[in-house]
Amino acid sequence: RCRGAICVPLARGCREMGVPRSGALAAGGVWGDRGPLLVAMDARRGEVYAQTFDERGAPTSEPMVVGVGALLARVPADVTAVFGSAAEMVAEAAEGTGRILRPLGTDAAPDPLALARLGAARAPQGPVRPLYLRPPDARPQAHAAIDRR
């Protein structure tokens, strides 16, 4: 999406670093060291992109794309707050099950300073590769294919 993620490091003479959006949102300082946090972003179709983090912002689960009900079954009981574009949706669904997940904000973009700190703290791991949590919606149309010679 953001070609600047590659162009800016090249122009500055440094390496690009891959940082997942959920990790950047968790590190943005909205929760601090007050306990585990769920980051949930709206993935449309009744699903969310989600990941849990400890009080230091370290991931405690793999990134996932799941329905809200399935997400609530996977989130540990000690997680009491949710942040991200799906925070209110997840908190509302949790309330319907008798669980309290406090929404801390619905920002979809990570804090640039938190993103820079995360990148600086990571060791280079080779070329940056995108992380796709579900297959693309677009499919080749075999019946409309153009004969190539």
Side-chain angles (χ1 to χ4, degrees), residues 3-144:
R3 297 302 296 170
I6 294 173
C7 297
V8 170
L10 289 175
R12 303 270 311 169
C14 56
R15 293 188 52 103
E16 70 275 7
M17 300 300 294
V19 176
R21 176 180 281 183
S22 56
L25 287 171
V30 297
W31 187 232
D33 60 357
R34 293 178 278 181
L37 172 70
L38 168 64
V39 173
M41 297 162 286
D42 191 354
R44 307 284 187 238
R45 296 185 243 157
E47 295 179 319
V48 293
Y49 299 117
Q51 190 171 14
T52 55
F53 296 86
D54 67 15
E55 59 278 350
R56 296 178 324 276
T60 56
S61 73
E62 292 296 318
M64 60 188 114
V65 59
V66 293
V68 175
L71 172 65
L72 293 173
R74 291 183 181 190
V75 174
D78 63 340
V79 175
T80 59
V82 57
F83 181 77
S85 61
E88 291 176 1
M89 175 174 58
V90 171
E92 189 174 298
E95 189 174 332
T97 67
R99 183 168 180 186
I100 303 298
L101 282 174
R102 185 168 46 132
L104 299 177
T106 57
D107 289 342
D111 173 20
L113 292 176
L115 188 57
R117 281 192 301 271
L118 276 176
R122 289 181 148 209
Q125 300 174 344
V128 175
R129 303 246 189 272
L131 172 64
Y132 296 108
L133 296 179
R134 69 174 170 209
D137 293 329
R139 301 276 190 262
Q141 298 178 358
H143 69 280

